[in-house]
Amino acid sequence: MTETIDPVVRARAGDDDAFRELTEPYRRELLVHCYRMLGSLHDAEDVLQDVLLAAWQGLDGFSGRSSLRTWLYRIATNRCLNARRAAARRPARAWDVPGVELIEPSSLGEVVWLEPFPDALLGGAGEAPLGPEARYERSEAISLAFVTALQVLPPRQLAVLVLRDVLGFPAREVAEMLDASVESVTSALKRARATLRVRGSAPPPTSEGADELVARFVSAYESSDVVTLVALLTDDVFISMPPMPYEYVGRDLAALFCAGILAPGRRFDLVATRANGQPAFGTYLRGPDGSSRGTGLLVLALADDGVGALTRFDDSVLPGFGLPASRPSA
C-alpha cells in the first residue's frame, strides 16, 4: 500500500503541485483581502503574487500552531501594509470627457486610485468562512462605498478592522499576525470603527425591486431620457469617477451632470456585468456608423428609494470585465 505524504512535507521538499494544492483554496479570498486593503485590483493582484512567493519560500517557517489559512493571511496582511507604505498611487486625472463641459463639483475625492472588482473573480471567496465576530455582511464588505471608506483609515487600523470585523478573526490571532499586543489591536479597532461611523457608507444593495429599478435605469440611460433617469436617483445621490477626483452630491447636481453626459448627439449602449457585488455596465458611445466605443464602466449602488450612488470608471477597466474596447454596428 502506497503511503500518502502530507502536502506540506511535499511542498517543503520542492513539489510545486503540492504547494498549489495547499494554497489554491485560499487564492480568491486572499485576492479579495488584498483588494480591500489596497483599493486597487491591479495592486492586489501584484501583492498576491508576492504573498504566494513569500509563502513558498518561507514554508519551513510554518509551524502548524495556527491554520495554514491564518498563516497566509498574516503574510498577505503584512505585505499589503508594506505595499501601502511604498505605494505610488495613481494620480488624479483631469477632466477628459470630450464634448462635455465640467460642472463645478461638490468636492474632490481622496481615493482616486480606487478600481472596481469583477464579481467573476469572487468565485469561492464568497463562501470563505467568517469568524463569529464578523460584523459586516458579505455584500457590504465588498461594496465600493465600504472599500472607499477603508482607504482613508491609517494602515494599521485598516488591517485590524478588516481582520476583526470583516473576517472575524479573534483579537489574539490578529495581534499575532501584526506582531502587536491584544490591547493595541483593541484600541486600533475602536478608532477605526469610530472613523467609519463618522464617514458613513452606502447601504448594501437591496434585492426588493432591484431588477425593475435597474431595467428602468438602463432604458432611460440608453434613450438619453435625463428626466426619467434623474427621477430614479435618490435625493442625496452620490456621483464619483476615479481616477478623476470630481464628486457630485444631490439630485440637482446629478441632473446637470447627466444632462452633460447624455447631451443631444450622445447616445449610449450599456452592457451588463457586475462589480463589487453591485450592478455594473460597460458604457459604449454610439458613433455615426452604428458602431460604439467603450468609454468606461458605470457601477450602481441601490437603495430602497432609488439609485443611491453612481461610480464611473474609465475605459481602462473594461478588459478586466471581459468587455471589448469597441462594438461593431448591429
Side-chain angles (χ1 to χ4, degrees), residues 30 36 52 56 68-69 103 120 192 200-201 268 274 294 322-323 328-329:
L30 288 170
R36 287 192 184 105
L52 294 174
W56 169 250
L68 179 68
R69 178 174 181 262
I103 64 171
S201 63
F268 288 85
R274 288 189 66 82
L323 296 174
S329 57

Side-chain angles (χ1 to χ4, degrees), residues 178-260:
L178 299 176
D179 291 322
S181 67
V182 172
E183 291 74 17
S184 67
V185 164
T186 301
S187 176
L189 182 60
K190 287 180 180 178
R191 294 196 301 273
R193 286 174 176 170
T195 299
L196 289 194
R197 279 196 299 271
V198 170
R199 288 185 63 89
S201 63
T206 181
S207 57
E208 186 175 353
D211 290 346
E212 179 186 355
L213 174 60
V214 170
R216 290 167 62 198
F217 179 92
V218 171
S219 176
Y221 203 101
E222 291 189 329
S223 61
S224 294
D225 184 349
V226 175
V227 172
T228 298
L229 183 70
V230 172
L232 298 174
L233 309 179
T234 62
D235 290 340
D236 59 350
V237 64
F238 177 73
I239 298 176
S240 58
M241 54 196 75
M244 292 188 283
Y246 315 109
E247 297 177 343
Y248 300 94
V249 179
R251 188 179 276 152
D252 290 342
L253 279 179
L256 293 174
F257 178 82
C258 291

